């Protein structure tokens, strides 16, 4: 009994400078988004607040906006800490993360070279990955992340976030994008404003690949393109054409694969946009 009381006291002392709080108990804090695997949460805090997510200090705009993401396999509890101006004690929110069930896709009988890349391309794959990681690491002051996102193109959704692929019995990287089945040459538009951080004509897996930094660690990637319409360093606005879709790299058919990251956390692009508009039935063009 005594030991428990002491342990409890020590725990209280260790975390004693922080006030455990619920989101709605923090004055001026509004969070938009679900505490769910793959979700992006956009926050509004009082002007002058400092904010940390899982120990990482977040960039906060002059107006108090910030963003963080919960990766595909986030297990929680996730911790948001806020230091409000004029208040000595920070608020600490520990929140459970809702888990999701991902699809499992088993494909057997594939030629082994399609399951395991040949040795001579490993170096190229590593170089591609290094470029992508560097682009994702940007922590810029851009504020595109706070805009309402729109679909980069519309069409039938043919692949979703998180699906686990098992090829010839071997688990492979989950699918992190949302796939939209569109013919080669379909215009791809920026889902939100930002700066082009990568415009690569030919990566091993993803072919012609484009990445946009939307600010504060949130980035988009567009894979398997047939043509890039913008260059690295270029500022783009939401709705601006940035590329034409395709099936370059190791694509199984024509589609746009759109992926979103918060730094290295894989998040679900589909949670950022309104439902896909209903598809018009195929018509004959005159
Ligand atoms: Zn895909």
């Amino acid at each position: 009994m005594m030991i428990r009381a002491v342990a409890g006291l020590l725990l209280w002392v260790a975390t004693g400078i922080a006030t455990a709080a619920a989101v709605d108990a923090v004055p001026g804090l509004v969070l938009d988004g679900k505490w769910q695997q793959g979700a992006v949460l956009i926050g509004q805090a009082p002007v002058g607040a400092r904010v940390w997510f899982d120990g990482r200090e977040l960039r906060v705009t002059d107006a108090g906006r910030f963003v963080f993401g919960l990766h595909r396999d986030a297990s929680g509890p996730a911790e948001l800490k806020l230091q409000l101006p004029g208040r000595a004690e920070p608020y600490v929110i520990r929140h459970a993360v809702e888990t999701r069930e991902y699809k499992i896709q088993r494909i057997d009988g594939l030629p082994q070279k399609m399951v395991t890349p040949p040795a001579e391309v490993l170096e190229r794959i590593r170089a591609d990955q290094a470029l992508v990681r560097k682009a994702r690491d940007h922590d810029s002051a851009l504020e595109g992340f706070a805009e309402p996102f729109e679909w980069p193109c519309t069409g039938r959704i043919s692949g979703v976030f998180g699906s686990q692929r098992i090829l010839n019995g071997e688990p492979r990287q989950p699918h992190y994008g949302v796939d939209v089945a569109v013919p080669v040459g379909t215009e791809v538009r920026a889902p939100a404003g930002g700066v082009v951080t990568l415009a690569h004509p030919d990566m091993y897996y993803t072919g012609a690949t484009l990445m946009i930094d939307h600010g504060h660690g949130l980035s988009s990637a567009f894979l398997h393109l047939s043509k890039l319409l913008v260059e690295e360093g270029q500022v783009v606005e939401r709705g601006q054409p940035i590329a034409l879709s395709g099936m370059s790299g190791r694509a199984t058919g024509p589609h746009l694969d759109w992926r979103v990251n918060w730094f290295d956390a894989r998040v679900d692009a589909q949670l950022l946009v309104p439902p896909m508009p209903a598809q018009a039935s195929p018509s004959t063009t005159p």
Side-chain angles (χ1 to χ4, degrees), residues 9-185:
L9 182 68
L10 285 175
L11 189 67
W12 183 82
V13 169
T15 60
I17 50 159
T19 310
V23 172
D24 54 8
V26 181
L29 174 64
V30 180
L31 269 185
D32 190 12
K34 265 180 136 183
W35 295 81
Q36 183 191 54
Q37 289 177 337
V40 171
L41 288 91
I42 309 275
Q44 171 71 60
V47 168
R50 292 177 71 189
V51 183
W52 292 258
F53 175 69
D54 281 350
R56 174 184 198 138
E57 182 159 16
L58 307 185
R59 185 185 277 278
V60 181
T61 70
D62 291 344
R65 309 212 73 179
F66 61 91
V67 61
F68 61 94
L70 300 165
H71 68 84
R72 178 189 183 269
D73 303 306
S75 57
E79 187 187 276
L80 192 66
K81 186 170 91 170
L82 292 99
Q83 179 75 63
L84 304 193
R87 208 191 130 91
E89 297 179 9
Y91 287 94
V92 175
I93 296 161
R94 282 190 196 90
H95 205 289
V97 176
E98 191 186 315
T99 56
R100 292 169 61 172
E101 283 206 16
Y102 299 109
K103 283 188 189 171
I104 293 179
Q105 194 183 8
R106 281 175 208 279
I107 307 173
D108 293 315
L110 288 170
Q112 197 55 29
K113 65 172 186 192
M114 297 205 34
V115 178
T116 308
E120 63 268 23
V121 300
L122 289 178
E123 206 165 307
R124 183 177 162 202
I125 291 170
R126 272 195 284 268
D128 289 350
Q129 286 168 342
L131 290 173
V132 169
R133 262 198 306 275
K134 195 172 153 231
R136 278 185 199 140
D137 269 352
H138 281 258
D139 185 4
S140 73
L142 298 167
E143 296 187 18
F145 75 90
E147 294 177 35
F149 277 54
E150 59 185 47
W151 283 100
C153 65
T154 57
R156 181 177 61 85
I157 293 173
S158 58
V160 296
F161 174 81
S163 310
Q164 178 70 60
R165 288 209 193 131
I166 301 177
L167 307 181
N168 291 356
E170 295 175 33
R172 281 292 173 266
Q173 218 189 37
H175 187 258
Y176 292 117
V178 54
D179 288 335
V180 184
V182 284
V184 171

Side-chain angles (χ1 to χ4, degrees), residues 175 179 255 257 259:
H175 187 258
D179 288 335
H255 72 283
D257 185 330
R259 303 183 172 196

